[in-house]
Amino acid sequence: MTNEELMENAKAATRFSYAPYSNFKVGAALLTEDGELYTGCNIENASYGATNCAERTAIFKAVSEGKKKITKIAVAAGDGSTAYPCGICLQVMQEFMPEGTILLEEHGIIVSYSLKELLPKGFTL
Ligand code: THU
């Protein structure tokens, strides 16, 4: 799958975003080591703190089906702005895609980052 196709899947995943509190819809699409596609959206909560970001939804879907090696994840905001992954999502990426790539759209252009660029000193045990 091309980067463009993965980003299209991330945008499509915003369709199921549950964001009644922020109205900020986010979608994510990832590829596992064996080429499987998983998507996710942000799921908010009245408590705010129980909100799950789109990236973690997609990652947890993959891991919960036995896919623990992720190579690439695309993230898209429904309003076309750039959704930089939050610190918690970066730490979850550290666990399941330490050598992985993050695709973001900046001013309509897909930009590729390594996790190491966005989280240079992620926590590991
Ligand atoms: N959010 C994501 O889903 N991913 C990001 O990369 C940034 C933030 C969500 C969480 C919350 O539902 C909303 O965006 C506003 O913070």
Side-chain angles (χ1 to χ4, degrees):
M1 179 174 295
T2 66
N3 287 349
E4 288 72 19
E5 287 169 337
L6 196 60
M7 184 58 77
E8 283 311 310
N9 277 283
K11 288 180 184 176
T14 63
R15 173 173 172 217
F16 298 120
S17 163
Y18 177 73
Y21 305 105
S22 72
N23 288 314
F24 190 70
K25 295 176 184 289
V26 186
L30 64 79
L31 288 175
T32 61
E33 185 184 49
D34 55 356
E36 291 285 316
L37 172 73
Y38 286 86
T39 61
C41 61
N42 56 331
I43 304 169
E44 296 188 345
N45 188 274
S47 71
Y48 288 29
T51 290
N52 209 58
C53 291
E55 298 92 317
R56 275 177 289 143
T57 302
I59 293 168
F60 292 155
K61 281 171 70 178
V63 174
S64 68
E65 293 187 14
K67 310 287 183 173
K68 289 191 279 288
K69 293 190 175 172
I70 296 165
T71 56
K72 199 179 275 191
I73 187 166
V75 189
D79 67 2
S81 65
T82 309
Y84 292 99
C86 77
I88 296 174
C89 288
L90 291 172
Q91 183 62 38
V92 171
M93 290 179 199
Q94 174 74 46
E95 195 76 22
F96 300 109
M97 50 180 293
E99 307 299 326
T101 299
I102 298 148
L103 302 178
L104 304 173
E105 208 169 68
E106 295 176 354
H107 309 293
I109 296 162
I110 296 173
V111 183
S112 175
Y113 293 98
S114 65
L115 179 63
K116 289 187 195 312
E117 281 179 279
L118 298 186
L119 189 69
K121 296 190 188 291
F123 178 73
T124 54
L125 283 177

